[in-house]
Amino acid sequence: MSQPQLVPAIRRAAEADLPAIVHLFSIPDEGNAKTDHPGPPLDPRYREALAAIAEDPNNALLVAEVEGRVAGAFHMTIIQYVANRGARVAQIENVIVDPSLRGRGIGEAMMRWAIDEARRRGCFRVQLTSNKARLRAHRFYERLGFVASHEGMKLKL
């Protein structure tokens, strides 16, 4: 029997949300090695990063809140291009939903919010990367209309 769908409120993350967000980022997921540690104490670099994100109008760490609890999070950055006649692209990263709440519409609500915000901000494309090991996540993104059109590469520093 499926669980009822939840309707989260999507909003910018606040400093008080950081322990819950970092906890979500620390949960192992489909072969993704995690290096975040929720503490306590919470590493001050998380607060510094959130402050820097909050100062940038083209950057946002967002949370999905359900019944006063952080149920998911994602990072969205608006990239200004010179190519494509100065078009904008929305980049989505670090998408996470509390494993105990998956399959209840939270991830879809976050992505639909991001897509709507990208349109509102004049973006011509929404793009994201996902670890190759996250096959369930890939099926989720494809169901929302995303296409695996490019091969991504990373260089660890």
Side-chain angles (χ1 to χ4, degrees):
M1 183 159 87
S2 67
Q3 298 264 9
Q5 296 293 290
L6 298 171
V7 181
I10 310 298
R11 62 170 176 76
R12 281 185 171 264
E15 188 173 320
D17 299 319
L18 281 174
I21 294 168
V22 176
H23 171 73
L24 289 175
F25 287 155
S26 72
I27 299 169
D29 185 37
E30 284 189 287
N32 260 350
K34 301 292 184 141
T35 60
D36 289 291
H37 188 275
L42 189 64
D43 188 316
R45 291 176 287 188
Y46 293 115
R47 285 185 184 85
E48 293 165 8
L50 181 60
I53 291 166
E55 288 178 13
D56 182 346
N58 290 314
N59 236 333
L61 178 61
L62 297 130
V63 296
E65 183 178 57
V66 174
E67 298 174 357
R69 171 180 164 210
V70 173
F74 66 100
H75 190 131
M76 183 170 176
T77 303
I78 305 300
I79 303 168
Q80 182 69 59
Y81 280 8
V82 169
N84 294 303
R85 293 178 288 289
R88 292 179 177 167
V89 170
Q91 175 78 27
I92 300 171
E93 291 285 338
N94 292 322
V95 178
I96 186 77
V97 172
D98 183 322
S100 70
L101 298 173
R102 289 184 184 161
R104 298 188 63 191
I106 294 167
E108 183 170 346
M110 292 190 314
M111 292 302 93
R112 298 236 181 261
W113 186 96
I115 293 164
D116 289 345
E117 179 66 5
R119 281 191 184 106
R120 189 186 74 74
R121 300 278 304 265
C123 296
F124 81 100
R125 179 174 71 221
V126 176
Q127 61 191 30
L128 55 83
T129 60
S130 181
N131 187 303
K132 288 184 177 188
R134 299 187 69 219
L135 300 179
R136 282 183 27 217
H138 300 169
R139 287 190 299 272
F140 165 73
Y141 294 127
E142 288 168 354
R143 184 172 56 79
L144 295 176
F146 286 85
V147 176
S149 61
H150 290 67
E151 183 73 20
M153 301 176 132
K154 294 186 179 188
L155 174 66
K156 290 227 180 207
L157 303 177

